[in-house]
Amino acid sequence: MIYLDHAATTYTDEAVLKEMLPYYSEVYGNASSLHAEGRKATAAVDQSRERVARALGCKKNEVYFTSGGTESDNWAIRGVAYAKKEKGKHIITSKIEHHAVLHTVEQLEKEGFSVTYLDVDEYGTVSPESVAAAIRPDTVLVTVMAANNEVGTLQPIKEIAQICKERGVLMHTDAVQAIGAVPINVQELGVDLLSLSGHKFYGPKGIGVLYVRSGVRLQRFMLGGAQERSMRGGTSNTPGIVGLGFAIEKAVNEMEENNAHVTALRDRFIAAVTERIPYCRLNGHPQSRLPNNANFSFQYVEGESILLSLDFEDICVSSGSACTSGSLEPSHVLLAMGMPEELAHGSIRFTFGKRNTVADVDKTVDVLQNALQRLRAMSPLFPG
Amino acid sequence: MYNEKVLENFRNPQNVGEIPDADGVGTVGNASCGDIMQIFLKIENGIVVDAKFKTFGCGAAVATSSMATQMIIGKPIEEVEKVTNRAVVEALEGLPPQKIHCSVLAEEAIKKALEDYRSKKAAE
């Protein structure tokens, strides 16, 4: 199997898994319990919070554990919107956000909030100027992702956060794809809220973090017990928290080495595809992109049929966003970048990871070339 | 999501290609929706003696084209006319709900090819 879908999820690193395992059936106390078993879990959760804080450059009490990126996005946006609704009900986001953000702001629109969806350029970049121009007296939140999950384009978060700070508006970023791929320090970036998810950097699934700068008022989201300083009810997912803390530390420590590996594979892939496969184009920003991401549009063919053809050869890729599969609409990200629908339908995302090899890249290019020849021969659009 | 029969028809589609001197050609769908299906018919003495297709589309679009052409070869026009999308889905042993529209395209492409055949004939 050749797995080239690391933006969808990564495997859990063996060292991470090893850290987690004792917290299932040995140290299984509830981190909220007062007894010794509970205190052991509390200590583990605490240590993990410390690791996350170090990785992000923030304080421990600014780190809230959640069930993942989606919950963090939901909480950040709704939490700010509801807490600030007396001040204003306007939110700014971009057209290329993950559905965890887009569907949340769409719901808020139904509840009487107004939302501005910023355009992006052909590379999928949000311009800080467009943010500045969209801010109104009643704007309470700007939410723009750090790196796009489909095309990998990095966003000018620091510049946008600076504008938000000057204008007295809170700034949230969905950094789910960026952690472990680009340096993320919340102080340097100047963001007020940040979402991340464990399973995108070789940590476990079902665990995430919302960073909330101290002093930011946020409405509670998950009601229940007094966990997470009474801000997020629910028994602490100790194994998940331990895994995330260990994984983020490892990801940050090994970032340079990992990036060198995946970038070399990615660039080899891009060069080979561009050279050997006609009628294709690389989507996203040519330089300012995630080190492991290559997203291509292949003219005259439809993405799912490419995906299936690769799947027959045990190669795992994704067509557009994995979340979009099952829907017939082409990727909202590619359309926002101005791509014609026909071309957007023929787009495939390849995201490389730590275990991938040069042989994986070469095999994939061979299979891809054959698949495209076959599918194009079948296509009524192909000029031949 | 797809069953083995659908996957097999995608992996080894039957009747791919064009018929240069086709008696009827039907093209349906559009690229912006992600599906275009083109069916070519060779008709002799009221019988579809050959059918070929070209399709731009997802796995289901290719599989339904393959199955639909297999179902009509050797059949008289009157029977071919009655091939419904449902029959194509049944022959494929089912399709995911969001892919049923591909089978509708197959039915429409066949009907359009027959229309084309009739108008050509009327013009003779």
Side-chain angles (χ1 to χ4, degrees):
Chain A
M1 190 260 284
I2 299 176
Y3 186 83
L4 302 179
D5 203 11
H6 292 84
T9 193
T10 53
Y11 61 89
T12 303
D13 186 281
E14 274 168 42
V16 172
L17 184 62
K18 205 172 150 224
E19 285 290 309
M20 294 170 64
L21 285 175
Y23 294 94
Y24 281 103
S25 49
E26 289 165 45
V27 189
Y28 55 84
N30 186 323
S32 301
S33 300
L34 288 177
H35 48 62
E37 276 311 296
R39 290 198 302 273
K40 283 184 202 162
T42 312
V45 168
D46 201 53
Q47 188 195 19
S48 185
R49 204 184 302 279
E50 179 73 48
R51 284 174 160 154
V52 174
R54 259 204 310 273
L56 297 179
C58 66
K59 294 181 291 228
K60 242 168 62 177
N61 64 4
E62 294 174 315
V63 173
Y64 295 88
F65 289 110
T66 67
S67 62
T70 293
E71 185 190 326
S72 295
D73 285 344
N74 270 257
W75 185 17
I77 295 165
R78 299 175 85 159
V80 168
Y82 296 148
K84 293 249 174 193
K85 65 173 188 281
E86 304 307 328
K87 188 198 170 223
K89 297 178 93 172
H90 178 235
I91 295 166
I92 297 169
T93 188
S94 82
K95 289 184 177 167
I96 58 154
E97 298 299 310
H98 191 274
H99 285 139
V101 167
L102 289 178
H103 289 169
T104 301
V105 295
E106 280 163 18
Q107 172 61 29
L108 286 171
E109 276 184 304
K110 286 181 197 151
E111 295 173 22
F113 290 81
S114 68
V115 179
T116 299
Y117 300 88
L118 299 172
D119 287 323
V120 293
D121 64 14
E122 60 179 313
Y123 301 123
T125 313
V126 177
S127 87
E129 294 74 34
S130 72
V131 176
I135 293 177
R136 315 191 308 212
D138 62 339
T139 306
V140 289
L141 178 70
V142 171
T143 172
V144 174
M145 68 201 327
N148 182 263
N149 50 311
E150 292 187 34
V151 296
T153 302
L154 303 176
Q155 303 299 331
I157 295 306
K158 196 174 172 176
E159 290 76 7
I160 295 172
Q162 181 61 31
I163 290 164
C164 291
K165 197 178 170 191
E166 283 162 13
R167 306 283 292 271
V169 175
L170 292 176
M171 163 83 189
H172 166 252
T173 189
D174 173 335
V176 164
Q177 296 287 340
I179 299 290
V182 289
I184 295 286
N185 179 297
V186 290
Q187 300 306 325
E188 276 171 31
L189 287 177
V191 295
D192 300 295
L193 303 110
L194 178 144
S195 304
L196 64 89
S197 174
H199 72 107
K200 305 290 191 185
F201 46 86
Y202 304 94
K205 294 169 180 62
I207 186 76
V209 161
L210 179 62
Y211 154 78
V212 185
R213 188 171 54 75
S214 58
V216 170
R217 217 155 49 82
L218 195 67
Q219 192 171 98
R220 293 173 64 167
F221 182 60
M222 197 74 94
L223 305 181
Q227 291 88 357
E228 300 300 302
R229 292 180 302 288
S230 296
M231 288 297 286
R232 198 265 184 195
T235 300
S236 302
N237 170 3
T238 312
I241 290 170
V242 167
L244 186 147
F246 193 81
I248 198 168
E249 193 171 87
K250 201 163 189 280
V252 169
N253 289 342
E254 296 172 359
M255 179 151 53
E256 224 168 294
E257 184 190 327
N258 288 341
N259 281 351
H261 177 68
V262 294
T263 306
L265 296 178
R266 194 264 318 261
D267 290 349
R268 182 185 179 92
F269 180 76
I270 290 176
V273 169
T274 312
E275 192 193 311
R276 287 170 53 187
I277 299 176
Y279 307 109
C280 71
R281 82 178 211 199
L282 180 69
N283 299 316
H285 198 282
Q287 286 91 35
S288 186
R289 67 188 301 137
L290 289 171
N292 75 337
N293 173 296
N295 184 308
F296 275 101
S297 289
F298 300 101
Q299 228 179 322
Y300 313 119
V301 284
E302 195 275 340
E304 189 201 274
S305 59
I306 305 172
L307 185 151
L308 288 174
S309 304
L310 295 179
D311 185 42
F312 285 143
E313 302 293 326
D314 253 348
I315 300 171
C316 308
V317 298
S318 159
S319 113
S321 163
C323 308
T324 339
S325 65
S327 118
L328 303 171
E329 299 299 316
S331 146
H332 67 284
V333 175
L334 298 174
L335 295 183
M337 287 160 61
M339 184 177 287
E341 282 184 318
E342 174 193 331
L343 202 52
H345 277 295
S347 300
I348 296 284
R349 178 185 71 184
F350 307 84
T351 43
F352 299 87
K354 292 202 279 193
R355 283 179 185 164
N356 288 135
T357 62
V358 166
D360 291 346
V361 171
D362 295 350
K363 167 94 191 287
T364 303
V365 178
D366 287 344
V367 171
L368 186 64
Q369 190 177 21
N370 287 337
L372 284 165
Q373 269 167 8
R374 185 180 90 94
L375 293 168
R376 281 175 173 164
M378 215 188 284
S379 170
L381 302 172
F382 188 53
Chain B
M1 159 170 125
Y2 291 132
N3 66 42
E4 278 307 312
K5 188 118 187 188
V6 175
L7 289 174
E8 183 48 33
N9 271 275
F10 171 72
R11 201 201 278 245
N12 294 310
Q14 304 299 301
N15 310 312
V16 177
E18 295 180 22
I19 300 176
D21 55 342
D23 298 302
V25 182
T27 306
V28 293
N30 66 73
S32 66
C33 296
D35 301 286
I36 295 180
M37 210 177 273
Q38 194 168 32
I39 288 188
F40 302 82
L41 301 178
K42 187 83 200 147
I43 299 171
E44 281 168 17
N45 302 322
I47 288 171
V48 173
V49 291
D50 197 11
K52 291 211 180 299
F53 79 88
K54 281 204 147 182
T55 290
F56 160 86
C58 62
V62 173
T64 51
S65 310
S66 163
M67 183 52 79
T69 49
Q70 290 173 68
M71 288 166 73
I72 60 176
I73 293 175
K75 298 252 170 71
I77 290 175
E78 301 74 49
E79 270 181 56
V80 171
E81 248 170 351
K82 288 181 198 147
V83 170
T84 61
N85 79 297
R86 191 180 292 252
V88 178
V89 174
E90 273 168 25
L92 285 169
E93 293 166 10
L95 275 179
Q98 74 272 24
K99 300 290 187 183
I100 293 294
H101 80 105
C102 296
S103 66
V104 176
L105 281 183
E107 177 186 328
E108 287 172 359
I110 294 171
K111 295 221 157 102
K112 216 154 170 198
L114 287 175
E115 248 172 63
D116 181 50
Y117 163 72
R118 289 205 173 98
S119 62
K120 273 181 185 160
K121 243 192 141 186
E124 270 172 15

